CSV table of all heavy atoms in Angstrom, one decimal:
chain,number,residue,atom,x,y,z
A,55,ALA,N,-52.4,31.3,-34.2
A,55,ALA,CA,-52.4,32.6,-34.8
A,55,ALA,C,-53.0,32.5,-36.2
A,55,ALA,O,-53.0,31.5,-36.8
A,55,ALA,CB,-50.9,33.1,-34.9
A,56,ARG,N,-53.6,33.7,-36.6
A,56,ARG,CA,-54.3,33.8,-37.9
A,56,ARG,C,-53.4,34.8,-38.6
A,56,ARG,O,-53.1,35.9,-38.2
A,56,ARG,CB,-55.6,34.3,-37.7
A,56,ARG,CG,-56.4,34.6,-39.1
A,56,ARG,CD,-57.8,34.8,-38.9
A,56,ARG,NE,-58.5,33.7,-38.3
A,56,ARG,CZ,-59.1,33.6,-37.1
A,56,ARG,NH1,-59.1,34.6,-36.3
A,56,ARG,NH2,-59.7,32.5,-36.7
A,57,LEU,N,-53.0,34.5,-39.9
A,57,LEU,CA,-52.2,35.4,-40.8
A,57,LEU,C,-53.1,36.1,-41.8
A,57,LEU,O,-53.9,35.5,-42.4
A,57,LEU,CB,-51.1,34.6,-41.5
A,57,LEU,CG,-50.0,33.9,-40.7
A,57,LEU,CD1,-49.1,33.2,-41.7
A,57,LEU,CD2,-49.3,34.9,-39.9
A,58,THR,N,-52.9,37.4,-41.9
A,58,THR,CA,-53.5,38.3,-42.9
A,58,THR,C,-52.5,39.4,-43.3
A,58,THR,O,-51.4,39.4,-42.7
A,58,THR,CB,-54.7,38.9,-42.4
A,58,THR,OG1,-54.4,39.7,-41.2
A,58,THR,CG2,-55.9,37.9,-42.0
A,59,TYR,N,-52.9,40.2,-44.2
A,59,TYR,CA,-52.1,41.3,-44.6
A,59,TYR,C,-53.0,42.4,-45.0
A,59,TYR,O,-54.1,42.2,-45.3
A,59,TYR,CB,-51.1,40.9,-45.8
A,59,TYR,CG,-51.8,40.7,-47.0
A,59,TYR,CD1,-51.9,41.7,-48.0
A,59,TYR,CD2,-52.2,39.4,-47.4
A,59,TYR,CE1,-52.6,41.5,-49.1
A,59,TYR,CE2,-52.9,39.1,-48.5
A,59,TYR,CZ,-53.1,40.2,-49.4
A,59,TYR,OH,-53.8,40.0,-50.6
A,60,GLU,N,-52.3,43.6,-45.1
A,60,GLU,CA,-53.0,44.8,-45.6
A,60,GLU,C,-52.0,45.5,-46.5
A,60,GLU,O,-50.9,45.7,-46.2
A,60,GLU,CB,-53.5,45.7,-44.5
A,60,GLU,CG,-54.5,45.1,-43.6
A,60,GLU,CD,-55.0,46.1,-42.5
A,60,GLU,OE1,-54.4,47.2,-42.4
A,60,GLU,OE2,-55.8,45.6,-41.7
A,61,MET,N,-52.5,46.0,-47.6
A,61,MET,CA,-51.7,47.0,-48.5
A,61,MET,C,-51.8,48.3,-47.8
A,61,MET,O,-52.9,48.8,-47.4
A,61,MET,CB,-52.2,47.0,-49.9
A,61,MET,CG,-51.6,45.9,-50.7
A,61,MET,SD,-51.9,46.3,-52.4
A,61,MET,CE,-51.0,45.0,-53.2
A,62,GLU,N,-50.6,49.0,-47.5
A,62,GLU,CA,-50.6,50.3,-46.9
A,62,GLU,C,-50.5,51.4,-48.0
A,62,GLU,O,-51.1,52.4,-47.9
A,62,GLU,CB,-49.6,50.4,-45.9
A,62,GLU,CG,-49.8,49.5,-44.7
A,62,GLU,CD,-48.9,49.8,-43.5
A,62,GLU,OE1,-47.7,49.9,-43.7
A,62,GLU,OE2,-49.4,49.9,-42.5
A,63,SER,N,-49.6,51.2,-49.0
A,63,SER,CA,-49.4,52.1,-50.1
A,63,SER,C,-48.8,51.4,-51.2
A,63,SER,O,-48.1,50.4,-51.2
A,63,SER,CB,-48.6,53.3,-49.6
A,63,SER,OG,-47.2,52.9,-49.4
A,64,ILE,N,-49.1,52.0,-52.4
A,64,ILE,CA,-48.4,51.7,-53.6
A,64,ILE,C,-47.9,52.9,-54.4
A,64,ILE,O,-48.7,53.9,-54.3
A,64,ILE,CB,-49.3,50.8,-54.6
A,64,ILE,CG1,-50.6,51.4,-54.9
A,64,ILE,CG2,-49.4,49.4,-54.0
A,64,ILE,CD1,-51.5,50.7,-55.9
A,65,GLU,N,-46.8,52.9,-54.9
A,65,GLU,CA,-46.3,54.0,-55.8
A,65,GLU,C,-45.9,53.5,-57.1
A,65,GLU,O,-44.9,52.6,-57.1
A,65,GLU,CB,-45.2,54.7,-55.0
A,65,GLU,CG,-44.8,56.0,-55.8
A,65,GLU,CD,-43.8,56.8,-55.0
A,65,GLU,OE1,-43.9,56.9,-53.7
A,65,GLU,OE2,-42.8,57.4,-55.7
A,66,ILE,N,-46.5,53.8,-58.1
A,66,ILE,CA,-46.3,53.3,-59.5
A,66,ILE,C,-45.9,54.5,-60.3
A,66,ILE,O,-46.6,55.4,-60.6
A,66,ILE,CB,-47.6,52.7,-60.0
A,66,ILE,CG1,-48.0,51.6,-59.1
A,66,ILE,CG2,-47.3,52.2,-61.5
A,66,ILE,CD1,-49.4,51.1,-59.3
A,67,LEU,N,-44.6,54.5,-60.8
A,67,LEU,CA,-44.1,55.4,-61.7
A,67,LEU,C,-44.3,56.9,-61.1
A,67,LEU,O,-44.7,57.8,-61.9
A,67,LEU,CB,-44.6,55.3,-63.1
A,67,LEU,CG,-44.5,53.9,-63.7
A,67,LEU,CD1,-45.2,53.9,-65.1
A,67,LEU,CD2,-43.1,53.5,-63.9
A,68,GLY,N,-44.0,57.0,-59.9
A,68,GLY,CA,-44.1,58.3,-59.2
A,68,GLY,C,-45.5,58.7,-58.7
A,68,GLY,O,-45.6,59.7,-58.0
A,69,GLU,N,-46.5,57.9,-58.9
A,69,GLU,CA,-47.8,58.3,-58.5
A,69,GLU,C,-48.2,57.4,-57.3
A,69,GLU,O,-48.1,56.1,-57.4
A,69,GLU,CB,-48.8,58.0,-59.6
A,69,GLU,CG,-50.2,58.6,-59.4
A,69,GLU,CD,-51.1,58.6,-60.5
A,69,GLU,OE1,-50.8,58.0,-61.6
A,69,GLU,OE2,-52.3,59.0,-60.4
A,70,ARG,N,-48.5,58.1,-56.2
A,70,ARG,CA,-48.7,57.4,-54.9
A,70,ARG,C,-50.1,57.3,-54.5
A,70,ARG,O,-50.9,58.2,-54.7
A,70,ARG,CB,-48.0,58.1,-53.8
A,70,ARG,CG,-48.1,57.5,-52.4
A,70,ARG,CD,-47.2,58.4,-51.5
A,70,ARG,NE,-47.8,58.1,-50.1
A,70,ARG,CZ,-47.4,57.1,-49.4
A,70,ARG,NH1,-46.6,56.2,-49.8
A,70,ARG,NH2,-47.9,57.0,-48.1
A,71,PHE,N,-50.5,56.1,-54.0
A,71,PHE,CA,-51.9,55.8,-53.5
A,71,PHE,C,-51.7,55.1,-52.1
A,71,PHE,O,-50.9,54.2,-52.1
A,71,PHE,CB,-52.5,54.8,-54.5
A,71,PHE,CG,-52.5,55.2,-55.9
A,71,PHE,CD1,-51.6,54.7,-56.8
A,71,PHE,CD2,-53.5,56.1,-56.4
A,71,PHE,CE1,-51.6,55.1,-58.1
A,71,PHE,CE2,-53.4,56.5,-57.8
A,71,PHE,CZ,-52.4,56.0,-58.6
A,72,ALA,N,-52.4,55.7,-51.1
A,72,ALA,CA,-52.2,55.1,-49.8
A,72,ALA,C,-53.5,55.1,-49.0
A,72,ALA,O,-54.4,55.9,-49.2
A,72,ALA,CB,-51.2,56.0,-49.0
A,73,VAL,N,-53.4,54.1,-48.1
A,73,VAL,CA,-54.6,54.0,-47.1
A,73,VAL,C,-54.6,55.3,-46.3
A,73,VAL,O,-53.6,55.8,-45.9
A,73,VAL,CB,-54.3,52.7,-46.2
A,73,VAL,CG1,-55.3,52.7,-45.1
A,73,VAL,CG2,-54.5,51.5,-47.0
A,74,GLY,N,-55.9,55.8,-46.1
A,74,GLY,CA,-56.0,57.0,-45.4
A,74,GLY,C,-55.9,58.2,-46.2
A,74,GLY,O,-56.2,59.3,-45.8
A,75,GLU,N,-55.5,58.1,-47.4
A,75,GLU,CA,-55.5,59.2,-48.4
A,75,GLU,C,-56.5,58.9,-49.5
A,75,GLU,O,-56.1,59.1,-50.6
A,75,GLU,CB,-54.0,59.3,-48.9
A,75,GLU,CG,-53.0,59.7,-47.8
A,75,GLU,CD,-51.6,59.7,-48.3
A,75,GLU,OE1,-51.4,59.7,-49.5
A,75,GLU,OE2,-50.7,59.7,-47.4
A,76,GLY,N,-57.6,58.6,-49.1
A,76,GLY,CA,-58.7,58.3,-50.0
A,76,GLY,C,-58.9,56.9,-50.5
A,76,GLY,O,-59.7,56.5,-51.3
A,77,TYR,N,-58.0,56.0,-50.0
A,77,TYR,CA,-58.1,54.6,-50.4
A,77,TYR,C,-58.0,53.7,-49.1
A,77,TYR,O,-57.5,54.0,-48.1
A,77,TYR,CB,-56.8,54.2,-51.2
A,77,TYR,CG,-56.8,55.0,-52.5
A,77,TYR,CD1,-56.0,56.2,-52.7
A,77,TYR,CD2,-57.4,54.4,-53.6
A,77,TYR,CE1,-56.1,56.8,-53.8
A,77,TYR,CE2,-57.3,55.1,-54.9
A,77,TYR,CZ,-56.7,56.3,-55.0
A,77,TYR,OH,-56.7,57.0,-56.2
A,78,THR,N,-58.7,52.5,-49.4
A,78,THR,CA,-58.6,51.5,-48.3
A,78,THR,C,-57.6,50.4,-48.9
A,78,THR,O,-57.2,50.5,-50.1
A,78,THR,CB,-60.0,50.7,-48.2
A,78,THR,OG1,-60.3,50.1,-49.4
A,78,THR,CG2,-61.0,51.8,-47.7
A,79,SER,N,-57.2,49.5,-48.0
A,79,SER,CA,-56.3,48.4,-48.5
A,79,SER,C,-57.0,47.6,-49.6
A,79,SER,O,-56.3,47.3,-50.7
A,79,SER,CB,-56.0,47.5,-47.4
A,79,SER,OG,-55.2,46.4,-47.7
A,80,GLU,N,-58.3,47.4,-49.6
A,80,GLU,CA,-59.0,46.7,-50.6
A,80,GLU,C,-59.0,47.5,-51.9
A,80,GLU,O,-58.8,46.9,-53.0
A,80,GLU,CB,-60.4,46.4,-50.2
A,80,GLU,CG,-61.2,45.6,-51.1
A,80,GLU,CD,-62.6,45.2,-50.6
A,80,GLU,OE1,-62.7,44.6,-49.5
A,80,GLU,OE2,-63.6,45.6,-51.3
A,81,ASP,N,-59.1,48.8,-51.8
A,81,ASP,CA,-59.1,49.7,-53.0
A,81,ASP,C,-57.7,49.5,-53.7
A,81,ASP,O,-57.7,49.5,-55.0
A,81,ASP,CB,-59.2,51.2,-52.7
A,81,ASP,CG,-60.7,51.5,-52.2
A,81,ASP,OD1,-61.6,50.8,-52.5
A,81,ASP,OD2,-60.7,52.5,-51.4
A,82,LEU,N,-56.6,49.5,-52.9
A,82,LEU,CA,-55.3,49.4,-53.5
A,82,LEU,C,-55.2,48.1,-54.2
A,82,LEU,O,-54.6,48.0,-55.3
A,82,LEU,CB,-54.2,49.5,-52.4
A,82,LEU,CG,-54.2,51.0,-51.8
A,82,LEU,CD1,-53.1,50.9,-50.7
A,82,LEU,CD2,-54.0,52.1,-52.7
A,83,GLU,N,-55.7,47.0,-53.6
A,83,GLU,CA,-55.6,45.7,-54.2
A,83,GLU,C,-56.4,45.6,-55.6
A,83,GLU,O,-55.9,45.1,-56.6
A,83,GLU,CB,-56.1,44.6,-53.3
A,83,GLU,CG,-54.9,44.2,-52.3
A,83,GLU,CD,-55.2,42.8,-51.8
A,83,GLU,OE1,-55.0,41.8,-52.6
A,83,GLU,OE2,-55.5,42.7,-50.6
A,84,ASN,N,-57.5,46.2,-55.5
A,84,ASN,CA,-58.4,46.3,-56.8
A,84,ASN,C,-57.6,47.1,-57.8
A,84,ASN,O,-57.7,46.7,-59.0
A,84,ASN,CB,-59.7,46.8,-56.5
A,84,ASN,CG,-60.6,45.8,-55.7
A,84,ASN,OD1,-60.4,44.7,-55.9
A,84,ASN,ND2,-61.6,46.4,-54.9
A,85,LYS,N,-57.1,48.2,-57.4
A,85,LYS,CA,-56.3,49.0,-58.4
A,85,LYS,C,-55.3,48.3,-59.0
A,85,LYS,O,-55.1,48.3,-60.2
A,85,LYS,CB,-55.8,50.3,-57.7
A,85,LYS,CG,-55.2,51.3,-58.6
A,85,LYS,CD,-55.0,52.5,-57.7
A,85,LYS,CE,-54.9,53.8,-58.7
A,85,LYS,NZ,-55.8,53.9,-59.7
A,86,ILE,N,-54.4,47.7,-58.2
A,86,ILE,CA,-53.2,47.0,-58.8
A,86,ILE,C,-53.7,45.7,-59.7
A,86,ILE,O,-53.0,45.3,-60.6
A,86,ILE,CB,-52.2,46.6,-57.8
A,86,ILE,CG1,-50.8,46.2,-58.3
A,86,ILE,CG2,-52.7,45.3,-56.9
A,86,ILE,CD1,-50.1,47.5,-58.8
A,87,ASN,N,-54.8,45.1,-59.3
A,87,ASN,CA,-55.3,44.0,-60.0
A,87,ASN,C,-56.1,44.2,-61.3
A,87,ASN,O,-56.3,43.4,-62.1
A,87,ASN,CB,-56.1,43.0,-59.1
A,87,ASN,CG,-55.1,42.3,-58.1
A,87,ASN,OD1,-54.1,42.0,-58.5
A,87,ASN,ND2,-55.7,42.1,-56.9
A,88,HIS,N,-56.6,45.5,-61.4
A,88,HIS,CA,-57.5,45.8,-62.6
A,88,HIS,C,-56.9,47.0,-63.4
A,88,HIS,O,-57.4,47.1,-64.6
A,88,HIS,CB,-58.9,46.1,-62.1
A,88,HIS,CG,-59.5,44.9,-61.4
A,88,HIS,ND1,-59.6,44.8,-60.1
A,88,HIS,CD2,-60.0,43.8,-61.9
A,88,HIS,CE1,-60.1,43.7,-59.7
A,88,HIS,NE2,-60.4,43.0,-60.8
A,89,ASP,N,-56.2,47.9,-62.9
A,89,ASP,CA,-55.8,49.0,-63.7
A,89,ASP,C,-54.5,48.9,-64.4
A,89,ASP,O,-54.1,49.9,-65.2
A,89,ASP,CB,-55.7,50.3,-62.7
A,89,ASP,CG,-57.0,50.6,-62.1
A,89,ASP,OD1,-58.1,50.0,-62.5
A,89,ASP,OD2,-57.1,51.6,-61.3
A,90,TYR,N,-53.7,47.8,-64.2
A,90,TYR,CA,-52.3,47.8,-64.7
A,90,TYR,C,-52.2,46.4,-65.4
A,90,TYR,O,-52.8,45.5,-65.0
A,90,TYR,CB,-51.3,48.0,-63.7
A,90,TYR,CG,-51.4,49.3,-63.0
A,90,TYR,CD1,-52.1,49.4,-61.7
A,90,TYR,CD2,-51.0,50.5,-63.5
A,90,TYR,CE1,-52.3,50.6,-61.1
A,90,TYR,CE2,-51.1,51.7,-62.9
A,90,TYR,CZ,-51.8,51.7,-61.7
A,90,TYR,OH,-52.0,53.0,-61.1
A,91,PRO,N,-51.2,46.3,-66.4
A,91,PRO,CA,-51.0,45.0,-66.9
A,91,PRO,C,-50.0,44.1,-66.0
A,91,PRO,O,-50.0,42.9,-66.2
A,91,PRO,CB,-50.2,45.3,-68.3
A,91,PRO,CG,-49.7,46.6,-68.0
A,91,PRO,CD,-50.5,47.4,-67.0
A,92,PHE,N,-49.4,44.7,-65.1
A,92,PHE,CA,-48.5,43.9,-64.2
A,92,PHE,C,-49.4,43.6,-63.0
A,92,PHE,O,-50.3,44.3,-62.7
A,92,PHE,CB,-47.3,44.7,-63.9
A,92,PHE,CG,-47.5,46.2,-63.5
A,92,PHE,CD1,-47.7,46.5,-62.2
A,92,PHE,CD2,-47.4,47.1,-64.4
A,92,PHE,CE1,-47.9,47.8,-61.8
A,92,PHE,CE2,-47.6,48.5,-64.1
A,92,PHE,CZ,-47.9,48.8,-62.8
A,93,LYS,N,-49.0,42.6,-62.3
A,93,LYS,CA,-49.8,42.2,-61.1
A,93,LYS,C,-48.8,42.0,-59.9
A,93,LYS,O,-47.7,41.7,-60.0
A,93,LYS,CB,-50.4,40.8,-61.3
A,93,LYS,CG,-51.4,40.8,-62.6
A,93,LYS,CD,-52.6,41.8,-62.3
A,93,LYS,CE,-53.4,41.8,-63.5
A,93,LYS,NZ,-53.8,43.1,-64.0
A,94,ILE,N,-49.4,42.3,-58.8
A,94,ILE,CA,-48.7,42.0,-57.5
A,94,ILE,C,-49.6,40.9,-56.9
A,94,ILE,O,-50.7,41.0,-56.6
A,94,ILE,CB,-48.7,43.2,-56.5
A,94,ILE,CG1,-47.8,44.3,-57.2
A,94,ILE,CG2,-48.0,42.8,-55.2
A,94,ILE,CD1,-48.0,45.6,-56.5
A,95,VAL,N,-48.9,39.7,-56.7
A,95,VAL,CA,-49.6,38.5,-56.2
A,95,VAL,C,-49.1,38.3,-54.8
A,95,VAL,O,-47.9,38.1,-54.6
A,95,VAL,CB,-49.2,37.3,-57.2
A,95,VAL,CG1,-50.0,36.0,-56.6
A,95,VAL,CG2,-49.7,37.6,-58.6
A,96,ILE,N,-50.0,38.1,-53.9
A,96,ILE,CA,-49.6,37.8,-52.5
A,96,ILE,C,-50.4,36.5,-52.1
A,96,ILE,O,-51.6,36.4,-52.1
A,96,ILE,CB,-50.1,39.0,-51.6
A,96,ILE,CG1,-49.4,40.3,-52.0
A,96,ILE,CG2,-49.6,38.6,-50.1
A,96,ILE,CD1,-50.0,41.5,-51.3
Side-chain angles (χ1 to χ4, degrees):
R56 180 172 292 115
L57 295 181
T58 58
Y59 68 90
E60 293 176 3
M61 278 197 170
E62 293 190 311
S63 67
I64 54 177
E65 187 172 322
I66 301 165
L67 307 176
E69 191 172 4
R70 180 178 157 81
F71 310 94
V73 170
E75 297 174 13
Y77 295 92
T78 65
S79 179
E80 187 177 300
D81 292 337
L82 296 179
E83 279 205 67
N84 286 334
K85 183 167 208 39
I86 200 69
N87 287 325
H88 297 101
D89 296 355
Y90 303 98
F92 47 88
K93 302 295 176 232
I94 298 170
V95 180
I96 303 166

